[in-house]
Amino acid sequence: MNTYKRRKIASKLMCAAAFLCAFLTLVPLISIFGYVFAKGIASINPDFFTNLPRPVGEPGGGMSNAIVGTLILIGLSCLWAIPLGIIGGIFLSEFGNNKLGTTVRFTADVLNGVPSIVIGIFAYTLFVLPMKSFSAISGAFALGMIMIPTIMRTTEEMLRMVPRTLREAALALGISQFRTTVSIVLRTALPGILTGILLAIARIAGETAPLLFTAFGNRFWHQSLTQPIAALPLQIFVYAISPFDDWRRQAWAGAFVLIVIIFLISFISRFVIGLHYKSPSSR
Amino acid sequence: MEERVRVSNLNAYFGNTRALKDINIAIKAKIVTAIIGPSGCGKSTFIRCINRLHEVVPNTKVSGEVLLDGEDIYSPDVDPIEIRRKIGMVFQKPNPFPVLSIYDNVAAGLKLNGVKKKDYLDEIVEGSLRRAALWDEVKDKINASGVSLSGGQQQRLCIARCLAVKPEVLLFDEPCASLDPISTSKIEELILELKKYYTIVIVTHNMQQAARVSDHTAFFLLGEMIEFGKTQEIFTAPKDKRTEDYITGRFG
Protein backbone atom coordinates (compact mmCIF):
# COMPACT_ATOMS: atom_id res chain seq x y z
CA MET A 1 0.00 0.00 0.00
CA ASN A 2 2.90 2.28 0.81
CA THR A 3 4.43 1.86 -2.68
CA TYR A 4 1.03 2.53 -4.20
CA LYS A 5 0.85 5.87 -2.40
CA ARG A 6 4.39 6.71 -3.48
CA ARG A 7 3.55 5.86 -7.10
CA LYS A 8 0.47 8.07 -6.94
CA ILE A 9 2.48 11.03 -5.68
CA ALA A 10 5.21 10.44 -8.29
CA SER A 11 2.55 10.26 -10.98
CA LYS A 12 1.06 13.60 -9.90
CA LEU A 13 4.51 15.20 -9.85
CA MET A 14 5.41 13.93 -13.32
CA CYS A 15 2.08 15.10 -14.71
CA ALA A 16 2.69 18.55 -13.31
CA ALA A 17 6.22 18.59 -14.75
CA ALA A 18 4.96 17.55 -18.19
CA PHE A 19 2.29 20.23 -18.11
CA LEU A 20 4.80 22.85 -17.03
CA CYS A 21 7.20 21.96 -19.86
CA ALA A 22 4.38 22.06 -22.41
CA PHE A 23 3.38 25.46 -21.09
CA LEU A 24 6.97 26.76 -21.14
CA THR A 25 7.39 25.86 -24.82
CA LEU A 26 4.29 27.89 -25.60
CA VAL A 27 5.55 31.00 -23.81
CA PRO A 28 7.95 32.22 -26.53
CA LEU A 29 5.40 31.49 -29.25
CA ILE A 30 2.62 33.37 -27.55
CA SER A 31 4.84 36.29 -26.58
CA ILE A 32 6.12 36.65 -30.17
CA PHE A 33 2.60 36.66 -31.55
CA GLY A 34 1.37 39.00 -28.85
CA TYR A 35 4.26 41.44 -29.24
CA VAL A 36 4.13 41.54 -33.04
CA PHE A 37 0.38 41.95 -32.91
CA ALA A 38 0.50 44.75 -30.36
CA LYS A 39 3.31 46.61 -32.11
CA GLY A 40 2.12 45.96 -35.65
CA ILE A 41 -1.59 46.57 -35.44
CA ALA A 42 -1.09 50.25 -34.61
CA SER A 43 0.62 50.93 -37.96
CA ILE A 44 -1.80 48.89 -40.04
CA ASN A 45 -4.10 51.04 -42.15
CA PRO A 46 -5.51 50.81 -45.67
CA ASP A 47 -2.55 52.80 -46.97
CA PHE A 48 -0.19 50.10 -45.78
CA PHE A 49 -1.75 47.64 -48.23
CA THR A 50 -2.22 50.00 -51.17
CA ASN A 51 0.69 52.46 -51.15
CA LEU A 52 4.31 52.18 -52.17
CA PRO A 53 7.00 53.05 -49.64
CA ARG A 54 7.56 56.79 -49.30
CA PRO A 55 10.97 58.47 -49.08
CA VAL A 56 12.39 59.21 -45.62
CA GLY A 57 10.71 62.13 -43.91
CA GLU A 58 7.50 61.87 -45.86
CA PRO A 59 4.95 60.29 -43.51
CA GLY A 60 2.61 57.45 -44.49
CA GLY A 61 3.22 55.06 -47.35
CA GLY A 62 2.91 51.29 -47.30
CA MET A 63 4.35 47.99 -48.39
CA SER A 64 1.93 47.00 -51.14
CA ASN A 65 4.80 46.11 -53.49
CA ALA A 66 6.49 43.96 -50.86
CA ILE A 67 3.27 42.11 -49.98
CA VAL A 68 2.61 41.30 -53.64
CA GLY A 69 6.31 40.52 -54.15
CA THR A 70 6.33 38.01 -51.30
CA LEU A 71 3.21 36.32 -52.66
CA ILE A 72 4.79 36.13 -56.14
CA LEU A 73 8.03 34.72 -54.73
CA ILE A 74 6.13 32.10 -52.70
CA GLY A 75 4.01 31.20 -55.74
CA LEU A 76 6.99 30.87 -58.08
CA SER A 77 8.94 28.79 -55.56
CA CYS A 78 5.97 26.45 -55.05
CA LEU A 79 5.52 26.12 -58.78
CA TRP A 80 8.75 24.21 -59.20
CA ALA A 81 9.52 22.96 -55.70
CA ILE A 82 6.19 21.19 -54.96
CA PRO A 83 6.08 18.94 -58.06
CA LEU A 84 9.78 18.17 -57.77
CA GLY A 85 9.57 17.48 -54.04
CA ILE A 86 6.49 15.26 -54.28
CA ILE A 87 7.75 13.22 -57.22
CA GLY A 88 11.12 12.87 -55.50
CA GLY A 89 9.32 11.72 -52.36
CA ILE A 90 7.38 9.13 -54.36
CA PHE A 91 10.66 7.84 -55.74
CA LEU A 92 12.22 7.56 -52.27
CA SER A 93 9.23 5.78 -50.77
CA GLU A 94 8.22 3.48 -53.62
CA PHE A 95 11.48 2.77 -55.44
CA GLY A 96 14.15 4.07 -53.08
CA ASN A 97 15.21 0.93 -51.21
CA ASN A 98 18.57 0.87 -52.94
CA LYS A 99 21.88 2.70 -53.13
CA LEU A 100 20.47 5.54 -55.23
CA GLY A 101 17.64 6.05 -52.75
CA THR A 102 20.06 6.16 -49.81
CA THR A 103 22.22 8.68 -51.65
CA VAL A 104 19.28 10.92 -52.54
CA ARG A 105 17.97 10.74 -48.96
CA PHE A 106 21.36 11.66 -47.52
CA THR A 107 21.82 14.50 -50.00
CA ALA A 108 18.38 15.88 -49.20
CA ASP A 109 19.16 15.85 -45.49
CA VAL A 110 22.47 17.64 -46.10
CA LEU A 111 20.73 20.19 -48.35
CA ASN A 112 18.21 20.75 -45.57
CA GLY A 113 21.07 21.72 -43.28
CA VAL A 114 22.84 24.07 -45.70
CA PRO A 115 22.63 27.66 -44.41
CA SER A 116 20.15 29.60 -46.51
CA ILE A 117 22.68 32.30 -47.35
CA VAL A 118 24.84 29.68 -49.06
CA ILE A 119 21.87 28.69 -51.20
CA GLY A 120 21.48 32.40 -51.98
CA ILE A 121 25.05 32.58 -53.25
CA PHE A 122 24.42 29.49 -55.36
CA ALA A 123 21.34 31.09 -56.95
CA TYR A 124 23.33 34.30 -57.42
CA THR A 125 26.05 32.46 -59.35
CA LEU A 126 23.59 30.43 -61.38
CA PHE A 127 21.02 33.11 -62.27
CA VAL A 128 22.04 36.63 -61.31
CA LEU A 129 25.55 36.61 -62.80
CA PRO A 130 24.62 35.25 -66.26
CA MET A 131 21.46 37.36 -66.46
CA LYS A 132 23.33 40.41 -65.18
CA SER A 133 20.34 41.38 -63.03
CA PHE A 134 18.76 40.59 -59.71
CA SER A 135 15.42 38.99 -60.35
CA ALA A 136 12.28 37.38 -58.96
CA ILE A 137 13.09 34.08 -60.61
CA SER A 138 16.52 33.86 -58.99
CA GLY A 139 14.85 34.50 -55.63
CA ALA A 140 12.24 31.83 -56.31
CA PHE A 141 15.00 29.43 -57.32
CA ALA A 142 16.80 29.95 -54.00
CA LEU A 143 13.59 29.64 -51.96
CA GLY A 144 12.49 26.53 -53.88
CA MET A 145 15.86 24.89 -53.13
CA ILE A 146 15.10 25.37 -49.45
CA MET A 147 11.61 23.89 -49.83
CA ILE A 148 12.51 20.76 -51.78
CA PRO A 149 14.23 18.66 -49.08
CA THR A 150 11.41 19.33 -46.58
CA ILE A 151 8.67 18.47 -49.08
CA MET A 152 10.52 15.44 -50.39
CA ARG A 153 11.26 13.93 -46.99
CA THR A 154 7.76 14.55 -45.57
CA THR A 155 6.20 13.10 -48.72
CA GLU A 156 8.38 10.03 -48.31
CA GLU A 157 7.51 9.63 -44.63
CA MET A 158 3.79 10.09 -45.25
CA LEU A 159 3.75 7.61 -48.16
CA ARG A 160 5.61 5.07 -46.04
CA MET A 161 2.91 5.36 -43.39
CA VAL A 162 0.29 4.14 -45.87
CA PRO A 163 -0.05 0.44 -44.97
CA ARG A 164 1.25 -2.06 -47.51
CA THR A 165 -2.07 -3.89 -47.36
CA LEU A 166 -3.72 -0.93 -49.12
CA ARG A 167 -1.24 -1.09 -51.99
CA GLU A 168 -1.75 -4.83 -52.23
CA ALA A 169 -5.53 -4.42 -52.15
CA ALA A 170 -5.31 -2.06 -55.11
CA LEU A 171 -2.84 -4.22 -57.03
CA ALA A 172 -4.98 -7.30 -56.37
CA LEU A 173 -7.90 -5.54 -58.08
CA GLY A 174 -5.86 -5.34 -61.26
CA ILE A 175 -5.06 -1.64 -60.84
CA SER A 176 -1.73 -0.62 -62.34
CA GLN A 177 1.20 0.39 -60.17
CA PHE A 178 0.95 3.98 -61.42
CA ARG A 179 -2.77 4.31 -60.62
CA THR A 180 -2.26 2.59 -57.27
CA THR A 181 0.46 5.06 -56.32
CA VAL A 182 -1.40 8.16 -57.49
CA SER A 183 -5.04 7.41 -56.72
CA ILE A 184 -4.71 5.28 -53.61
CA VAL A 185 -1.36 5.80 -51.88
CA LEU A 186 -0.78 9.49 -52.66
CA ARG A 187 -4.40 10.35 -51.99
CA THR A 188 -4.36 8.59 -48.63
CA ALA A 189 -1.20 10.46 -47.63
CA LEU A 190 -2.36 13.85 -48.94
CA PRO A 191 -3.10 15.64 -45.64
CA GLY A 192 0.33 14.73 -44.29
CA ILE A 193 2.03 15.85 -47.50
CA LEU A 194 0.10 19.13 -47.35
CA THR A 195 1.40 19.70 -43.83
CA GLY A 196 4.94 19.28 -45.13
CA ILE A 197 4.30 21.75 -47.94
CA LEU A 198 2.82 24.30 -45.52
CA LEU A 199 5.81 23.96 -43.21
CA ALA A 200 8.10 24.58 -46.17
CA ILE A 201 6.09 27.62 -47.25
CA ALA A 202 6.08 29.01 -43.71
CA ARG A 203 9.82 28.63 -43.63
CA ILE A 204 10.60 30.32 -46.93
CA ALA A 205 8.05 33.10 -46.47
CA GLY A 206 10.27 34.53 -43.76
CA GLU A 207 13.66 33.77 -45.36
CA THR A 208 15.69 36.93 -45.81
CA ALA A 209 19.29 35.90 -46.36
CA PRO A 210 18.90 34.12 -49.73
CA LEU A 211 16.90 37.07 -51.10
CA LEU A 212 19.60 39.64 -50.30
CA PHE A 213 21.44 38.99 -53.56
CA THR A 214 18.73 37.35 -55.65
CA ALA A 215 15.35 39.11 -55.40
CA PHE A 216 17.28 42.06 -53.97
CA GLY A 217 14.23 44.14 -53.04
CA ASN A 218 12.67 47.04 -54.85
CA ARG A 219 11.18 50.30 -53.60
CA PHE A 220 8.80 50.38 -56.56
CA TRP A 221 6.59 47.88 -58.36
CA HIS A 222 8.59 45.16 -60.10
CA GLN A 223 8.73 45.50 -63.90
CA SER A 224 8.99 41.81 -64.75
CA LEU A 225 10.02 38.53 -63.17
CA THR A 226 13.53 39.05 -64.49
CA GLN A 227 13.83 42.32 -62.56
CA PRO A 228 14.45 42.91 -58.83
CA ILE A 229 11.33 42.42 -56.76
CA ALA A 230 10.35 43.58 -53.28
CA ALA A 231 9.75 41.08 -50.50
CA LEU A 232 8.35 41.56 -47.02
CA PRO A 233 11.29 40.08 -45.08
CA LEU A 234 13.74 42.30 -47.01
CA GLN A 235 11.60 45.35 -46.43
CA ILE A 236 11.24 44.50 -42.75
CA PHE A 237 14.99 44.08 -42.47
CA VAL A 238 15.76 47.42 -44.13
CA TYR A 239 13.11 49.28 -42.16
CA ALA A 240 13.84 47.67 -38.79
CA ILE A 241 17.54 48.62 -38.78
CA SER A 242 16.84 52.15 -40.00
CA PRO A 243 17.14 55.09 -37.59
CA PHE A 244 13.69 56.44 -38.43
CA ASP A 245 10.79 55.86 -36.04
CA ASP A 246 8.25 55.86 -38.85
CA TRP A 247 10.09 53.10 -40.73
CA ARG A 248 10.54 51.04 -37.61
CA ARG A 249 6.81 51.20 -36.94
CA GLN A 250 6.18 50.01 -40.47
CA ALA A 251 8.64 47.16 -39.96
CA TRP A 252 6.43 45.89 -37.12
CA ALA A 253 3.39 46.19 -39.34
CA GLY A 254 5.23 44.26 -42.05
CA ALA A 255 6.12 41.50 -39.58
CA PHE A 256 2.49 41.30 -38.53
CA VAL A 257 1.30 41.05 -42.15
CA LEU A 258 3.89 38.36 -42.89
CA ILE A 259 2.63 36.21 -40.02
CA VAL A 260 -0.97 36.72 -41.14
CA ILE A 261 -0.08 35.71 -44.73
CA ILE A 262 1.50 32.46 -43.53
CA PHE A 263 -1.47 31.80 -41.31
CA LEU A 264 -3.94 32.47 -44.14
CA ILE A 265 -2.12 30.23 -46.64
CA SER A 266 -2.12 27.44 -44.10
CA PHE A 267 -5.75 27.97 -43.10
CA ILE A 268 -7.12 28.23 -46.64
CA SER A 269 -5.31 25.19 -48.02
CA ARG A 270 -6.38 23.08 -45.06
CA PHE A 271 -9.94 24.23 -45.58
CA VAL A 272 -9.89 23.48 -49.32
CA ILE A 273 -8.36 20.05 -48.80
CA GLY A 274 -10.86 19.42 -46.01
CA LEU A 275 -13.74 20.00 -48.42
CA HIS A 276 -12.58 17.29 -50.78
CA TYR A 277 -11.14 14.95 -48.27
CA LYS A 278 -11.84 13.78 -44.77
CA SER A 279 -8.92 12.24 -42.99
CA PRO A 280 -9.65 8.70 -41.76
CA SER A 281 -8.33 9.51 -38.30
CA SER A 282 -10.80 12.35 -37.82
CA ARG A 283 -13.71 9.96 -37.95
CA MET B 1 -15.79 -31.49 -62.41
CA GLU B 2 -14.09 -28.87 -64.52
CA GLU B 3 -10.57 -27.88 -63.55
CA ARG B 4 -9.84 -24.17 -63.26
CA VAL B 5 -6.39 -23.74 -61.74
CA ARG B 6 -3.56 -26.24 -62.00
CA VAL B 7 -0.37 -25.65 -60.08
CA SER B 8 2.66 -27.71 -60.96
CA ASN B 9 6.08 -27.76 -59.30
CA LEU B 10 5.50 -24.37 -57.74
CA ASN B 11 8.36 -22.99 -55.67
CA ALA B 12 8.34 -19.60 -53.98
CA TYR B 13 11.25 -17.81 -52.36
CA PHE B 14 11.81 -14.93 -49.96
CA GLY B 15 15.43 -14.04 -50.67
CA ASN B 16 17.16 -17.40 -50.34
CA THR B 17 14.49 -18.96 -48.16
CA ARG B 18 12.34 -21.46 -50.01
CA ALA B 19 8.83 -20.90 -48.69
CA LEU B 20 7.06 -23.34 -51.00
CA LYS B 21 8.47 -26.64 -52.15
CA ASP B 22 7.25 -28.24 -55.37
CA ILE B 23 3.55 -27.73 -54.84
CA ASN B 24 1.25 -29.65 -57.17
CA ILE B 25 -2.47 -29.15 -56.91
CA ALA B 26 -5.52 -29.02 -59.17
CA ILE B 27 -8.29 -26.64 -58.15
CA LYS B 28 -11.73 -27.47 -59.47
CA ALA B 29 -14.22 -24.89 -60.72
CA LYS B 30 -17.11 -23.66 -58.58
CA ILE B 31 -16.21 -25.41 -55.39
CA VAL B 32 -14.39 -24.23 -52.27
CA THR B 33 -10.85 -25.44 -51.74
CA ALA B 34 -9.48 -24.85 -48.24
CA ILE B 35 -5.79 -24.58 -47.41
CA ILE B 36 -5.01 -25.47 -43.80
CA GLY B 37 -1.80 -25.77 -41.84
CA PRO B 38 0.11 -24.20 -38.94
CA SER B 39 1.46 -20.63 -39.07
CA GLY B 40 4.36 -20.12 -41.42
CA CYS B 41 3.63 -23.21 -43.51
CA GLY B 42 3.26 -21.21 -46.73
CA LYS B 43 -0.53 -21.12 -47.03
CA SER B 44 -0.72 -17.39 -47.69
CA THR B 45 2.34 -17.43 -49.90
CA PHE B 46 0.69 -20.15 -51.93
CA ILE B 47 -2.47 -18.23 -52.72
CA ARG B 48 -0.46 -15.05 -53.31
CA CYS B 49 1.33 -16.94 -56.06
CA ILE B 50 -1.99 -17.68 -57.76
CA ASN B 51 -2.76 -14.01 -58.43
CA ARG B 52 0.88 -12.97 -58.88
CA LEU B 53 0.91 -10.88 -55.73
CA HIS B 54 3.90 -12.69 -54.22
CA GLU B 55 6.21 -10.95 -56.68
CA VAL B 56 5.29 -7.41 -55.53
CA VAL B 57 7.24 -8.01 -52.31
CA PRO B 58 10.91 -7.10 -52.86
CA ASN B 59 13.44 -9.95 -53.15
CA THR B 60 10.93 -12.65 -53.90
CA LYS B 61 10.92 -15.23 -56.66
CA VAL B 62 8.53 -17.81 -58.05
CA SER B 63 9.30 -20.84 -60.21
CA GLY B 64 7.04 -23.49 -61.65
CA GLU B 65 3.72 -23.26 -63.41
CA VAL B 66 0.31 -21.94 -62.48
CA LEU B 67 -2.23 -22.67 -65.21
CA LEU B 68 -5.47 -20.72 -65.29
CA ASP B 69 -7.82 -22.49 -67.72
CA GLY B 70 -4.79 -24.13 -69.28
CA GLU B 71 -2.69 -21.00 -69.73
CA ASP B 72 0.43 -20.34 -67.69
CA ILE B 73 -0.03 -17.07 -65.80
CA TYR B 74 3.74 -16.83 -65.33
CA SER B 75 4.58 -16.97 -69.02
CA PRO B 76 6.58 -13.84 -69.97
CA ASP B 77 3.93 -12.29 -72.25
CA VAL B 78 1.20 -12.40 -69.61
CA ASP B 79 0.35 -9.08 -67.95
CA PRO B 80 -0.01 -9.60 -64.17
CA ILE B 81 -2.69 -6.86 -64.15
CA GLU B 82 -4.93 -8.99 -66.38
CA ILE B 83 -4.39 -11.99 -64.11
CA ARG B 84 -5.30 -10.03 -61.00
CA ARG B 85 -8.53 -8.90 -62.61
CA LYS B 86 -9.50 -12.51 -63.24
CA ILE B 87 -8.39 -13.70 -59.80
CA GLY B 88 -9.67 -11.56 -56.94
CA MET B 89 -8.33 -11.56 -53.40
CA VAL B 90 -9.75 -10.84 -49.97
CA PHE B 91 -7.20 -10.18 -47.26
CA GLN B 92 -6.82 -11.20 -43.64
CA LYS B 93 -7.58 -7.76 -42.25
CA PRO B 94 -10.39 -5.80 -43.90
CA ASN B 95 -8.61 -3.14 -45.96
CA PRO B 96 -11.12 -0.81 -47.60
CA PHE B 97 -9.54 2.34 -49.06
CA PRO B 98 -9.93 4.86 -46.22
CA VAL B 99 -10.16 7.92 -48.48
CA LEU B 100 -12.91 6.48 -50.67
CA SER B 101 -16.64 6.24 -50.05
CA ILE B 102 -18.42 2.89 -49.93
CA TYR B 103 -19.51 3.44 -53.52
CA ASP B 104 -16.03 4.36 -54.71
CA ASN B 105 -14.46 1.46 -52.84
CA VAL B 106 -16.58 -0.95 -54.84
CA ALA B 107 -16.12 1.01 -58.07
CA ALA B 108 -12.35 1.48 -57.57
CA GLY B 109 -11.27 -1.47 -59.69
CA LEU B 110 -13.32 -0.18 -62.62
CA LYS B 111 -12.93 3.57 -62.15
CA LEU B 112 -9.17 3.43 -61.77
CA ASN B 113 -9.02 1.38 -64.95
CA GLY B 114 -10.83 4.07 -66.89
CA VAL B 115 -14.49 3.00 -66.73
CA LYS B 116 -16.53 6.22 -66.59
CA LYS B 117 -20.12 5.37 -67.53
CA LYS B 118 -22.21 6.29 -64.51
CA ASP B 119 -25.16 3.97 -65.24
CA TYR B 120 -22.89 1.02 -65.73
CA LEU B 121 -20.94 1.78 -62.54
CA ASP B 122 -24.16 2.20 -60.54
CA GLU B 123 -25.38 -1.15 -61.77
CA ILE B 124 -22.11 -2.95 -60.98
CA VAL B 125 -21.81 -1.35 -57.53
CA GLU B 126 -25.33 -2.32 -56.55
CA GLY B 127 -24.99 -5.80 -57.99
CA SER B 128 -21.66 -6.42 -56.24
CA LEU B 129 -22.94 -5.14 -52.90
CA ARG B 130 -26.05 -7.30 -53.22
CA ARG B 131 -23.98 -10.34 -54.03
CA ALA B 132 -21.75 -9.60 -51.03
CA ALA B 133 -24.90 -9.39 -48.86
CA LEU B 134 -24.13 -5.82 -47.87
CA TRP B 135 -26.51 -3.78 -50.03
CA ASP B 136 -29.38 -3.57 -47.52
CA GLU B 137 -27.05 -2.38 -44.77
CA VAL B 138 -25.33 0.37 -46.78
CA LYS B 139 -27.77 1.48 -49.48
CA ASP B 140 -28.73 4.60 -47.49
CA LYS B 141 -25.15 5.67 -46.81
CA ILE B 142 -23.42 4.69 -50.01
CA ASN B 143 -21.35 7.91 -49.93
CA ALA B 144 -20.13 7.42 -46.37
CA SER B 145 -16.52 6.41 -45.88
CA GLY B 146 -15.65 2.74 -46.21
CA VAL B 147 -13.94 2.74 -42.84
CA SER B 148 -17.11 3.91 -41.06
CA LEU B 149 -18.45 0.36 -41.30
CA SER B 150 -17.95 -2.39 -38.71
CA GLY B 151 -15.17 -4.94 -39.22
CA GLY B 152 -17.49 -7.59 -40.64
CA GLN B 153 -19.17 -5.10 -42.96
CA GLN B 154 -15.76 -3.84 -44.08
CA GLN B 155 -14.77 -7.39 -44.99
CA ARG B 156 -17.96 -7.82 -47.03
CA LEU B 157 -17.20 -4.45 -48.65
CA CYS B 158 -13.80 -5.84 -49.64
CA ILE B 159 -15.54 -8.89 -51.10
CA ALA B 160 -17.92 -6.63 -53.06
CA ARG B 161 -14.91 -4.63 -54.28
CA CYS B 162 -13.42 -7.87 -55.65
CA LEU B 163 -16.67 -8.97 -57.29
CA ALA B 164 -17.01 -5.64 -59.11
CA VAL B 165 -14.14 -6.44 -61.47
CA LYS B 166 -15.88 -9.71 -62.42
CA PRO B 167 -13.25 -12.25 -61.43
CA GLU B 168 -13.47 -15.97 -62.11
CA VAL B 169 -11.51 -17.11 -59.08
CA LEU B 170 -11.70 -15.70 -55.54
CA LEU B 171 -8.85 -16.09 -53.09
CA PHE B 172 -9.59 -15.63 -49.39
CA ASP B 173 -6.58 -15.18 -47.11
CA GLU B 174 -7.93 -15.96 -43.64
CA PRO B 175 -10.89 -13.65 -44.20
CA CYS B 176 -12.33 -14.14 -40.71
CA ALA B 177 -9.13 -13.94 -38.69
CA SER B 178 -10.01 -10.53 -37.25
CA LEU B 179 -13.79 -10.95 -37.05
CA ASP B 180 -16.18 -11.94 -34.26
CA PRO B 181 -18.21 -15.20 -34.49
CA ILE B 182 -21.36 -13.54 -35.88
CA SER B 183 -19.48 -11.71 -38.64
CA THR B 184 -17.56 -14.92 -39.29
CA SER B 185 -20.71 -16.94 -39.83
CA LYS B 186 -22.01 -14.26 -42.21
CA ILE B 187 -18.83 -14.47 -44.26
CA GLU B 188 -19.04 -18.25 -44.29
CA GLU B 189 -22.65 -18.18 -45.50
CA LEU B 190 -21.55 -15.75 -48.16
CA ILE B 191 -18.73 -18.04 -49.31
CA LEU B 192 -21.18 -20.92 -49.66
CA GLU B 193 -23.42 -18.65 -51.73
CA LEU B 194 -20.56 -17.34 -53.87
CA LYS B 195 -19.30 -20.78 -54.84
CA LYS B 196 -22.27 -21.09 -57.18
CA TYR B 197 -20.58 -18.50 -59.38
CA TYR B 198 -16.90 -18.52 -58.54
CA THR B 199 -14.01 -20.86 -57.94
CA ILE B 200 -12.92 -20.24 -54.37
CA VAL B 201 -9.70 -20.90 -52.50
CA ILE B 202 -9.68 -20.10 -48.79
CA VAL B 203 -6.75 -20.10 -46.42
CA THR B 204 -7.82 -20.68 -42.85
CA HIS B 205 -6.38 -21.29 -39.44
CA ASN B 206 -9.68 -22.55 -38.25
CA MET B 207 -10.18 -26.22 -38.98
CA GLN B 208 -13.88 -26.13 -38.17
CA GLN B 209 -14.21 -23.40 -40.75
CA ALA B 210 -12.46 -25.50 -43.38
CA ALA B 211 -14.78 -28.39 -42.53
CA ARG B 212 -17.84 -26.15 -42.72
CA VAL B 213 -17.22 -24.32 -45.98
CA SER B 214 -14.92 -26.38 -48.16
CA ASP B 215 -15.32 -29.27 -50.57
CA HIS B 216 -11.60 -29.96 -50.97
CA THR B 217 -8.87 -29.43 -48.41
CA ALA B 218 -5.11 -29.24 -48.76
CA PHE B 219 -2.86 -29.59 -45.72
CA PHE B 220 0.40 -27.65 -45.84
CA LEU B 221 3.37 -28.13 -43.53
CA LEU B 222 6.72 -26.33 -43.68
CA GLY B 223 6.22 -25.26 -47.28
CA GLU B 224 5.15 -28.67 -48.53
CA MET B 225 1.74 -29.92 -49.43
CA ILE B 226 1.29 -33.01 -47.30
CA GLU B 227 -2.14 -34.11 -48.34
CA PHE B 228 -4.92 -33.00 -50.65
CA GLY B 229 -8.35 -34.50 -51.11
CA LYS B 230 -12.04 -34.27 -50.38
CA THR B 231 -12.60 -32.34 -47.16
CA GLN B 232 -14.59 -35.15 -45.61
CA GLU B 233 -11.83 -37.64 -46.24
CA ILE B 234 -9.10 -35.34 -44.96
CA PHE B 235 -10.99 -34.80 -41.73
CA THR B 236 -12.28 -38.31 -41.14
CA ALA B 237 -9.67 -40.57 -42.70
CA PRO B 238 -6.39 -38.72 -43.32
CA LYS B 239 -3.81 -40.86 -45.09
CA ASP B 240 -0.77 -39.11 -43.66
CA LYS B 241 0.20 -39.33 -39.99
CA ARG B 242 1.13 -35.62 -39.94
CA THR B 243 -2.29 -34.56 -41.23
CA GLU B 244 -3.94 -36.66 -38.56
CA ASP B 245 -1.73 -35.16 -35.85
CA TYR B 246 -2.58 -31.64 -36.98
CA ILE B 247 -6.29 -32.24 -37.29
CA THR B 248 -6.56 -33.93 -33.94
CA GLY B 249 -4.71 -31.00 -32.39
CA ARG B 250 -1.49 -32.72 -31.48
CA PHE B 251 0.47 -29.75 -32.87
CA GLY B 252 -0.14 -26.50 -34.68
Side-chain angles (χ1 to χ4, degrees), chain A residues 97 164-177 179-180 183-184 187-189 277-278 280 283, chain B residues 48 51 53 56-57 81 84-85 87 89 91 95-100 108-109 112-113 145 147 161-162 165:
Chain A
N97 284 328
R164 217 188 62 195
T165 54
L166 277 191
R167 288 160 225 252
E168 290 190 343
L171 291 174
L173 285 174
I175 297 170
S176 66
Q177 171 109 45
R179 275 266 152 230
T180 300
S183 302
I184 302 294
R187 207 168 149 192
T188 308
Y277 174 95
K278 293 215 163 38
R283 257 182 221 104
Chain B
R48 290 166 63 90
N51 68 343
L53 206 57
V56 305
V57 179
I81 289 174
R84 293 180 197 137
R85 262 175 231 170
I87 304 179
M89 186 167 206
F91 295 80
N95 53 359
F97 302 125
V99 286
L100 300 184
L112 297 183
N113 276 316
S145 159
V147 287
R161 180 173 70 182
C162 271
V165 290

Side-chain angles (χ1 to χ4, degrees), chain A residues 137-231:
Chain A
I137 51 171
S138 60
F141 176 76
L143 295 181
M145 284 270 288
I146 299 169
M147 291 176 83
I148 285 174
T150 310
I151 296 178
M152 191 157 84
R153 293 292 264 140
T154 29
T155 303
E156 182 196 357
E157 294 302 326
M158 292 303 134
L159 292 180
R160 276 182 192 279
M161 273 164 60
V162 176
R164 217 188 62 195
T165 54
L166 277 191
R167 288 160 225 252
E168 290 190 343
L171 291 174
L173 285 174
I175 297 170
S176 66
Q177 171 109 45
F178 176 77
R179 275 266 152 230
T180 300
T181 306
V182 174
S183 302
I184 302 294
V185 182
L186 201 61
R187 207 168 149 192
T188 308
L190 207 56
I193 295 173
L194 180 77
T195 306
I197 291 174
L198 291 176
L199 277 174
I201 290 179
R203 184 176 163 197
I204 60 137
E207 277 290 351
T208 320
L211 296 180
L212 288 172
F213 30 49
T214 53
F216 192 67
N218 192 336
R219 295 193 50 81
F220 305 99
W221 287 104
H222 62 281
Q223 298 304 310
S224 77
L225 297 181
T226 52
Q227 295 290 313
I229 192 168

